[in-house]
Amino acid sequence: MSTHAGPQTTDSSVGPHRHLAGFGLVLVMAAGSIVMWLVSPVVWLWIASRMTSSSQPSLGPYVLVLVGMVLTAVAIGKFLGVVNRMHMRVTGRLTTKRDHATWNRSMRGERKAANDRGVLEQVMLISVGCAFVLFGVWFFAFAGSSLPS
């Protein structure tokens, strides 16, 4: 006699193929955050360095780097939001009800549990933490001193 009681009731709509697709989308979010925090600034600094021939450039390259990095971060952030919603849709966690962020909610009334916001927040927190640690390692171990000796 079989002990199988039918389909599982916990998370039955999300099969192994959806978990694999969800994992792939998390990897895309991780790669996008690396591009946002590491690749984009390096590329914009490289572009600005190609625009100047002296060690004391005018204001133009600095503005280009600042504006370019901000616009690139906004574009990548929008893309990561789309990927996060795709991940939530694939894994069955997307709700149609729109909820305000905790900091943007009234202090009146009952407190409700926060809606599921996906994994993007965790991916970004981890990537920012790694960026700070890597910057610290580079700054203290490899950057050297700019002070005259």
Side-chain angles (χ1 to χ4, degrees):
M1 178 173 228
S2 174
T3 60
H4 186 266
Q8 296 178 356
T9 57
T10 60
D11 207 24
S12 63
S13 64
V14 181
H17 64 285
R18 287 184 168 231
H19 285 295
L20 185 61
F23 180 72
L25 290 169
V26 170
L27 290 179
V28 168
M29 285 186 265
S33 65
I34 289 170
V35 168
M36 179 186 283
W37 300 120
L38 182 66
V39 175
S40 171
V42 169
V43 167
W44 282 109
L45 289 171
W46 180 79
I47 290 170
S49 73
R50 297 292 166 211
M51 291 179 57
T52 63
S53 58
S54 72
S55 62
Q56 296 179 349
S58 64
L59 187 63
Y62 294 116
V63 171
L64 175 71
V65 169
L66 179 66
V67 171
M69 284 175 46
V70 167
L71 291 177
T72 304
V74 168
I76 293 172
K78 294 283 187 185
F79 169 73
L80 290 176
V82 168
V83 174
N84 187 47
R85 283 187 295 281
M86 285 173 51
H87 175 268
M88 291 177 71
R89 191 174 303 118
V90 164
T91 57
R93 295 166 47 183
L94 186 65
T95 60
T96 56
K97 182 183 166 210
R98 195 169 168 126
D99 194 20
H100 294 286
T102 304
W103 58 268
N104 198 12
R105 212 178 282 150
S106 171
M107 294 294 289
R108 294 180 277 134
E110 295 181 26
R111 291 283 182 192
K112 296 182 288 183
N115 280 350
D116 187 9
R117 299 194 187 282
V119 297
L120 181 59
E121 289 181 13
Q122 291 84 9
V123 169
M124 292 302 286
L125 284 172
I126 291 169
S127 69
V128 168
C130 290
F132 277 129
V133 168
L134 289 174
F135 175 75
V137 168
W138 169 80
F139 185 79
F140 292 113
F142 301 109
S145 176
S146 62
L147 298 175
S149 53

